[in-house]
Amino acid sequence: MIAYIARRLVLMVVTIFGIMLISFAIVQLAPGGPVETMLARLSGTDVGISGRLGGSGDLGAAQGAGDAYRGSQGMDAQLIEKLKKQYGFDRPAHERFIKMIADYARFDFGKSLFGDESVIALIRQKLPVSMSLGLWILLLSYAISIPLGIRKAVKDGSRFDIWTSMVITIGYALPGFLVAVVLLIVFAGGSFYQIFPPQGLWSENWNELSLIGKIGDYFWHLALPITAMVLAAFANLTLLTKNSFLEEIGKQYVLTARMKGLTERQVLYGHVFRNAMLLVIAGFPAAFIHAFFTGSLLIEVTFNLDGLGLLSYNSIIGRDYTIVFGSLYIFSLIGLFVNLVSDLIFTMIDPRIDFESREV
């Protein structure tokens, strides 16, 4: 097991390096950048994505004397060079990448390009909101999906199975952000009802509320975002649970247990459950990453929730690349560690699994 963990750690280093290299290379081709953004701010015209599409890439090769930034007309050339030096874009791309990797290896992520806060401080500040969303999504999706998946496996082919499959298929097909928009229109004062708040995690009078009032206000604001995100997560996990139990129920050891006179409940939860849950546990890393990071991005933007998803979105739009690359590095590292932990949990549940004899 130690040799396997060591191989996985080495592979994690290689994977992180590859992720950062590919992402850095893609950014070289992206139009616009921090220098152009700052020039636009200084000139009084803060351009958005559509305004940057014709711009030059700040993270590409250093621009020559004849190449000017689109937003630099009328700006002092010395100011432009000063901004390029301030943001480090006066050096070749490979030097910037090597320095970034060396800093990240020491967990030094620097500061925001357009603010005085460090990347770590910003992530720490936004993390509670994303954790709040992610924890409730995981708890609700597992609490609903596992019992429902088991029930569907036991009642396979029945009317209950068919109708719930229709609901699950619809939930699986609908993107979370589309559900979020529909919920806003219907229940948050868009065109029909004003039942839930359209944005934020608490009301303006939060500090004036009692403890019970704060708890109620918190869940009142969470209702629509959680509903939008749980639908897709619950659909995936339910189908995974059902298929895992169906595969195990058809095996010989289940028939043998039934022939010994065990009840269906004893067979299901005493024998099938342990083996079938291995695949469900295998899907936990993907569910974890989706709930905490990937799936929350558009939901946080839609409901204006000040978490990691909204931070990443604003950083990409604002070309704040220290936050973009810093958060990408941290989230990728977390994802790889969660996958490793998931493999180790396998061995605790089923000692027959031997990673030492496997290739990474």
Side-chain angles (χ1 to χ4, degrees):
M1 181 59 66
I2 295 178
Y4 173 77
I5 294 175
R7 293 198 303 269
R8 285 290 297 269
L9 291 176
V10 172
L11 183 61
M12 285 170 58
V13 173
V14 176
T15 304
I16 283 287
F17 182 85
I19 291 173
M20 300 307 297
L21 178 61
I22 293 173
S23 301
F24 189 86
I26 291 175
V27 168
Q28 308 310 301
L29 305 175
V35 174
E36 189 175 41
T37 300
M38 181 56 70
L39 288 172
R41 293 183 180 184
L42 292 175
S43 63
T45 56
D46 192 1
V47 295
I49 290 180
S50 59
R52 295 190 186 104
L53 290 179
S56 55
D58 288 321
L59 290 182
Q63 294 187 349
D67 294 328
Y69 288 97
R70 179 172 292 269
S72 65
Q73 286 86 350
M75 304 297 292
D76 186 4
Q78 292 184 351
L79 174 61
I80 297 173
E81 293 302 320
K82 183 178 180 180
L83 288 175
K84 290 168 64 177
K85 185 175 182 179
Q86 176 182 337
Y87 295 136
F89 299 142
D90 58 328
R91 292 175 294 177
H94 68 277
E95 290 186 10
R96 298 198 301 273
F97 178 74
I98 292 173
K99 182 181 184 304
M100 181 182 73
I101 292 298
D103 290 340
Y104 286 5
R106 303 192 306 269
F107 290 92
D108 178 10
F109 301 102
K111 294 183 177 181
S112 167
L113 293 179
F114 304 112
D116 198 33
E117 286 190 272
S118 68
V119 174
I120 289 294
L122 285 170
I123 291 177
R124 190 184 298 118
Q125 178 184 341
K126 310 298 183 183
L127 186 60
V129 173
S130 294
M131 286 187 64
S132 178
L133 288 172
L135 286 173
W136 284 115
I137 291 164
L138 282 177
L139 288 174
L140 288 175
S141 60
Y142 272 77
I144 295 171
S145 301
I146 292 178
L148 180 59
I150 295 174
R151 183 71 175 175
K152 285 176 63 62
V154 173
K155 299 290 185 179
D156 184 43
S158 66
R159 183 175 299 178
F160 170 82
D161 181 44
I162 294 173
W163 281 103
T164 53
S165 293
M166 291 176 59
V167 175
I168 290 171
T169 302
I170 294 173
Y172 181 81
L174 290 176
F177 74 91
L178 180 60
V179 176
V181 172
V182 172
L183 291 175
L184 281 174
I185 294 173
V186 177
F187 298 108
S191 300
F192 297 92
Y193 306 103
Q194 178 68 60
I195 300 176
F196 298 99
Q199 62 180 3
L201 274 184
W202 46 77
S203 301
E204 294 181 359
N205 63 337
W206 166 266
N207 293 326
E208 302 172 7
L209 299 175
S210 64
L211 178 60
I212 300 299
K214 288 181 178 180
I215 294 175
D217 185 74
Y218 168 74
F219 284 108
W220 183 47
H221 282 77
L222 270 184
L224 296 187
I226 292 298
T227 301
M229 294 183 69
V230 163
L231 282 177
F234 123 86
N236 284 326
L237 189 56
T238 301
L239 293 176
L240 178 63
T241 303
K242 177 191 174 182
N243 293 333
S244 299
F245 273 80
L246 279 178
E247 182 179 354
E248 293 297 323
I249 288 174
K251 291 185 177 179
Q252 183 63 42
Y253 74 89
V254 175
L255 298 176
T256 303
R258 286 171 176 165
M259 291 176 62
K260 290 181 178 179
L262 297 179
T263 65
E264 283 298 311
R265 186 176 183 84
Q266 289 175 324
V267 172
L268 189 63
Y269 292 100
H271 294 76
V272 176
F273 186 84
R274 178 177 178 178
N275 294 323
M277 286 302 292
L278 285 173
L279 283 178
V280 177
I281 293 173
F284 177 80
F288 176 88
I289 298 300
H290 175 81
F292 278 86
F293 307 119
T294 310
S296 65
L297 193 153
L298 291 175
I299 298 298
E300 289 182 11
V301 173
T302 304
F303 290 98
N304 196 26
L305 303 176
D306 197 15
L308 296 175
L310 187 60
L311 174 66
S312 299
Y313 175 81
N314 288 334
S315 300
I316 294 171
I317 296 299
R319 300 299 195 264
D320 198 334
Y321 289 130
T322 54
I323 297 178
V324 173
F325 286 119
S327 57
L328 174 65
Y329 180 87
I330 293 172
F331 299 158
S332 299
L333 196 61
I334 291 174
L336 291 171
F337 268 112
V338 169
N339 275 295
L340 176 58
V341 171
S342 178
D343 285 347
L344 298 180
I345 292 176
F346 272 154
T347 61
M348 296 172 58
I349 296 177
D350 191 348
R352 295 172 299 176
I353 298 177
D354 181 17
F355 287 111
E356 289 287 355
S357 60
R358 286 181 49 189
E359 293 292 334
V360 177

